[in-house]
Amino acid sequence: MITIALAKGRILVDTALKLRLGGLELPADVEDTRRLVVADEEQNIRYLLAKPVDVPTYVEHGAADLGIVGKDVLYEKSADVYELLDLGFGMCRLVVAGPEHTDLSNVSRVATKYPRYATEYFRKLGKQIEVISLQGSVELAPLIGLADCIVDLVETGRTLRDNGLVVLAQVAEVSARLVANRRSYQLRSTEVDHMVSRLRTV
Ligand SMILES: Nc1ncnc2c1ncn2[C@@H]1O[C@H](COP(=O)(O)OP(=O)(O)OP(=O)(O)O)[C@@H](O)[C@H]1O
Ligand SMILES: O=P(O)(O)OC[C@H]1O[C@H](OP(=O)(O)OP(=O)(O)O)[C@H](O)[C@@H]1O
């Protein structure tokens, strides 16, 4: 049996679609069940429904052989896993955003859910910043003077627009990735390769 950790939430519907298009028989209720482990007995696959930020942890520790999660989470967690495939959905951008005309060379406080990305981005610009760590609604921080700007995901741009903020710079492009545990990649290479080729052709 091979175990795959899937990120619950925003990317789960597209993840299930991709797996089904790849010929995998996911249980019909996978997108809205409260069960955290769902099995496909026929194909000998077990799916773990995990919080996105925890998917790299399950894979790194071998609790799952494979995982599907956004590149943003993967990079931020710097998990020791193999990244096998860009799955081509969950597309968005990680950006620096703030009030129009913000001068990035004058920024000192940056609000974000992504401290690693933010610190590294500004370090490359030669700037040391103070990270204000938030868990959501990050756009609020520059509006009320908690931070000079934010590092956050943008998809349609609506959240920025509705809050009078603009993209100041792009940090990274984000999409869902297939990752593998390092040992599983070696010891279960037939099953892993099979999964990669199923998902690659979709
Ligand atoms: N517009 C978007 N905003 C946020 N994440 C997006 C967007 N588009 C795609 N994604 C992907 O979806 C993932 C976030 O999913 P989701 O919002 O369900 O997780 P979360 O932030 O952990 O949520 P929560 O904290 O509410 O459980 C991101 O890691 C990213 O890879
Ligand atoms: O460009 P848009 O299409 O507006 O999408 C971007 C917004 O979506 C995400 O927030 P989410 O809805 O996950 O809520 P959160 O702020 O609580 O993380 C992200 O953090 C942005 O705030």
Side-chain angles (χ1 to χ4, degrees):
M1 164 130 357
I2 196 160
T3 302
I4 310 180
L6 306 182
K8 283 194 296 187
R10 197 185 276 265
I11 68 167
L12 185 58
V13 169
D14 284 345
T15 300
L17 181 66
K18 185 87 175 180
L19 291 169
R20 288 191 178 112
L21 287 172
L24 298 165
E25 301 279 335
L26 279 175
D29 65 345
V30 75
E31 294 96 332
D32 58 14
T33 182
R34 293 294 303 163
R35 274 178 300 140
L36 301 174
V37 182
V38 293
D40 173 359
E41 307 287 354
E42 207 152 287
Q43 296 183 67
N44 222 18
I45 302 175
R46 182 169 65 160
Y47 298 96
L48 310 183
L49 298 175
K51 202 169 160 62
V53 72
D54 293 332
V55 168
T57 307
Y58 285 101
V59 176
E60 179 173 337
H61 292 278
D65 302 294
L66 294 168
I68 295 180
V69 68
K71 176 69 185 178
D72 53 327
V73 171
L74 266 186
Y75 181 81
E76 195 59 33
K77 296 278 287 184
S78 53
D80 186 18
V81 296
Y82 281 127
E83 190 179 315
L84 302 179
L85 211 54
D86 182 339
L87 294 167
F89 62 86
M91 319 287 276
C92 52
R93 300 185 297 146
L94 190 73
V95 303
V96 183
E100 212 172 351
H101 309 306
T102 301
D103 179 356
L104 289 187
S105 61
N106 279 333
V107 157
S108 62
R109 288 195 301 174
V110 179
T112 190
K113 272 163 99 169
Y114 300 95
R116 180 176 183 215
Y117 268 120
T119 307
E120 292 203 359
Y121 178 82
F122 282 97
R123 188 177 45 74
K124 282 187 194 143
L125 294 185
K127 278 207 65 73
Q128 206 177 343
I129 53 152
E130 179 190 350
V131 168
I132 310 284
S133 217
L134 296 176
Q135 291 305 312
S137 302
V138 175
E139 292 83 356
L140 196 49
L143 300 185
I144 44 113
L146 177 61
D148 303 310
C149 65
I150 63 173
V151 169
D152 198 21
L153 295 177
V154 175
E155 187 183 5
T156 62
R158 178 168 174 205
T159 311
L160 290 183
R161 228 172 16 253
D162 285 1
N163 291 290
L165 303 172
V166 297
V167 172
L168 301 167
Q170 177 156 318
V171 177
E173 287 188 346
V174 169
S175 56
R177 307 294 161 99
L178 177 70
V179 295
N181 170 265
R182 290 193 178 274
R183 270 175 68 81
S184 304
Y185 184 74
Q186 277 153 6
L187 301 179
R188 314 191 67 171
S189 59
T190 312
E191 285 149 293
V192 170
D193 286 349
H194 187 53
M195 189 64 67
V196 170
S197 52
R198 273 169 179 263
L199 297 179
R200 182 178 278 136
T201 54
V202 176

